[in-house]
Amino acid sequence: MEEDDVYTKDGTVDYLGNPANKKKTGTWRACPFILGNECCERLAYYGMSTNLVLYFKERLHQHSATASKNVSNWSGTCYITPLIGAFLADSYLGRYWTIACFSIIYVLGMTLLTLSASVSGIKPTCHGHGDENCHATTLESAVCFIALYLIALGTGGIKPCVSSYGADQFDDADPGEKEHKSSFFNWFYFSINIGALIASSLLVWIQDNVGWGWGFGIPAVAMAIAVASFFSGTRLYRNQKPGGSALTRIIQVIVASMRKYNVKVPNDKSQLYEIADTESVIEGSRKLDHTDELRFFDKAAVVGQLDNLKESVNPWRLCTVTQVEELKSILRLLPIWATGIVFATVYGQMSTLFVLQGQTMDTRVGNSSFKIPPASLSIFDTLSVIFWVPVYDRIIVPVTRKFTGHKNGLTQLQRMGIGLFISIFSMVAAAILEVIRLRMVRRHNYYNLDEVPMTIFWQVPQYFLIGCAEVFTFIGQLEFFYEQAPDATRSLCSALSLLTVALGQYLSSLLVTIVTRISTRNGSLGWIPDNLNYGHVDYFFWLLTVLSVLNLIIYLVVAQFYTYKRAVGTLR
């Protein structure tokens, strides 16, 4: 092997800061440690969060509305803090040290939460006389919420970095290694759902039947194992160098463009400013080729009379083509990103209306007296993902590759579009089931029955379809935002993709609020009353179906005009 082939060509370095040796670092030899970290971290997260609303109600003695609001606020924070972690990773710390530092914060939060549920003095107990007067003390609540928000901060440094860090282990400049990168994203999402499967089954049972100390303690141990797994692979990892503040570079382009708003952009792109070297001025980033969209920002790269190229260039007046294209790349991602919000709204129904619908059905397993909690049916979503990931990776990709000629079988945009299409049928299935259930209610006058004699397992198809859609859309998003993000902003763009989950939840809440306000006029019970037998949740599912169809049409238009990033040159 020639000496040039010994080291990676994508600018990655080993743990000592030396160019990464292809025979000793990265690829699948490093990925098991990253996948193990993600599996254990997700087990810890879902094991702690799945039943959190019951902990607030049963141990902190909060009312249902208060407990639900506190869980929503905390969950939303968990999907906003990745913006902080991503900024630090891309700008200053790099992904390795961001994951390492925030993982330690995560473990501290999990440990404190375990102590708050098991140590006398900070463990919530009933201090009133009778259940109606029970409430946690200020200290007990404070310790619990400090622990939870430490966890939210910790997950903010892990969520946006781990998937990108795993993809960093495959050299973009090596066709053989790059081919495995798409497979990595599939198995990454697979590992997430293995952790979620254990959490939603075993750990929820332990919390309900053994105790909260054990119920939180096991996730804390799982998180400690996650940290140990991550550090164990240190010598094998390839690391991208942080590129400095992406936010500063973006603002510089905007400011420089505004300063030259009356300057005409030349038709010849070679007249725009770019350094002569093959390497970019941005640490950890390749040069980007000029594109014709969003030409206003090209003004920032037009050399003016006040720009002295013989001296140090003022980036607030003159930016390189690569810096301008970095901003353009992010802006081009936003329409694709926005279409993920409606999908996240559909995905979010598993923890809200699907559960409420399931509560009105027969929750017995067969003819036994054992009843399955309605929320536990989400396990079929997890099983669907676990089923479809290997099917996609081992069957769908090779088969479609023969027809399309694309190395991954489907492009990332095609994959996401198929997922959006499948998600429509999950809402159709939920709506049809509710129509049938309501007909049974009306036919037999079951209005005041808590459970209609219709097995809850009729919900399985809608859960299974969402799981299938996840494999196409969510994994496609992970890969798309990594590949199309500028090299030095990959963690930030991964954080943006995670933000769609939070915005999807907010959109769902907004739709429920609007629908409730309109449908309850003139004394009507509305679409979503306390007793769903008197309501029309099916109308809400049909509304989401229509929104999903419109969203798919918009997506197809946006995807048709999307311009892929074109990287040139080498990394610094």
Side-chain angles (χ1 to χ4, degrees), residues 239-448:
N239 304 287
Q240 290 282 6
K241 301 173 185 176
S245 175
L247 184 60
T248 300
R249 294 195 300 273
I250 289 171
I251 295 174
Q252 285 172 343
V253 173
I254 296 172
V255 170
S257 300
M258 295 295 293
R259 281 182 166 183
K260 299 177 180 178
Y261 70 93
N262 58 349
V263 172
K264 184 179 179 180
V265 177
N267 293 324
D268 185 359
K269 69 177 184 179
S270 64
Q271 296 181 26
L272 299 175
Y273 175 64
E274 181 60 275
I275 62 170
D277 296 340
T278 58
E279 298 175 347
S280 167
V281 293
I282 304 170
E283 186 80 24
S285 181
R286 289 166 291 183
K287 279 185 175 181
L288 295 174
D289 200 9
H290 177 264
T291 57
D292 291 328
E293 293 89 354
L294 303 169
R295 286 179 62 83
F296 173 79
F297 295 109
D298 289 340
K299 295 176 185 291
V302 176
V303 180
Q305 295 179 350
L306 299 178
D307 298 315
N308 189 346
L309 301 184
K310 294 181 180 180
E311 299 178 3
S312 179
V313 174
N314 180 3
W316 295 95
R317 286 197 59 86
L318 181 64
C319 304
T320 64
V321 169
T322 294
Q323 192 173 338
V324 172
E325 289 299 322
E326 184 179 54
L327 172 59
K328 286 186 183 182
S329 294
I330 294 173
L331 292 177
R332 278 195 294 267
L333 287 173
L334 294 182
I336 299 290
W337 168 82
T339 59
I341 296 174
V342 172
F343 178 80
T345 302
V346 170
Y347 173 79
Q349 301 313 304
M350 288 193 299
S351 59
T352 53
L353 290 184
F354 282 13
V355 176
L356 293 177
Q357 184 186 46
Q359 281 183 321
T360 66
M361 303 175 75
D362 185 357
T363 57
R364 291 177 301 172
V365 178
N367 295 321
S368 67
S369 59
F370 177 78
K371 293 189 173 185
I372 183 171
S376 293
L377 249 69
S378 63
I379 198 171
F380 289 100
D381 165 74
T382 304
L383 291 172
S384 177
V385 172
I386 292 173
F387 170 79
W388 281 108
V389 164
V391 168
Y392 183 89
D393 196 61
R394 302 302 181 190
I395 299 175
I396 295 177
V397 170
V399 170
T400 54
R401 185 186 292 145
K402 294 177 181 179
F403 293 95
T404 64
H406 193 275
K407 65 181 187 302
N408 295 330
L410 300 171
T411 66
Q412 296 144 5
L413 290 175
Q414 289 170 341
R415 180 174 186 173
M416 288 188 287
I418 291 172
L420 294 180
F421 179 72
I422 294 171
S423 70
I424 294 171
F425 292 97
S426 68
M427 288 296 97
V428 171
I432 291 175
L433 176 62
E434 185 64 10
V435 168
I436 295 171
R437 193 190 70 81
L438 288 176
R439 283 178 181 173
M440 181 180 291
V441 169
R442 288 193 293 268
R443 185 180 301 119
H444 300 286
N445 196 28
Y446 288 150
Y447 288 101
N448 294 316

Side-chain angles (χ1 to χ4, degrees), residues 14-52:
D14 62 18
Y15 74 106
L16 295 174
N18 300 318
N21 188 308
K22 295 177 72 170
K23 289 295 184 180
K24 297 181 180 179
T25 63
T27 65
W28 290 112
R29 68 173 65 87
C31 287
F33 299 98
I34 297 172
L35 295 176
N37 168 272
E38 182 64 11
C39 180
C40 292
E41 187 274 328
R42 290 291 86 186
L43 189 155
Y45 178 83
Y46 289 118
M48 173 268 305
S49 64
T50 301
N51 234 8
L52 191 58

Side-chain angles (χ1 to χ4, degrees), residues 21 42 69 107 147 182 238 256 268 275 334 367 429 435 454 468 492 500 554:
N21 188 308
R42 290 291 86 186
K69 181 188 71 174
V107 171
S182 179
R238 298 174 183 174
D268 185 359
I275 62 170
L334 294 182
N367 295 321
V435 168
M454 183 179 187
C468 180
L492 181 62
T500 60
I554 294 171

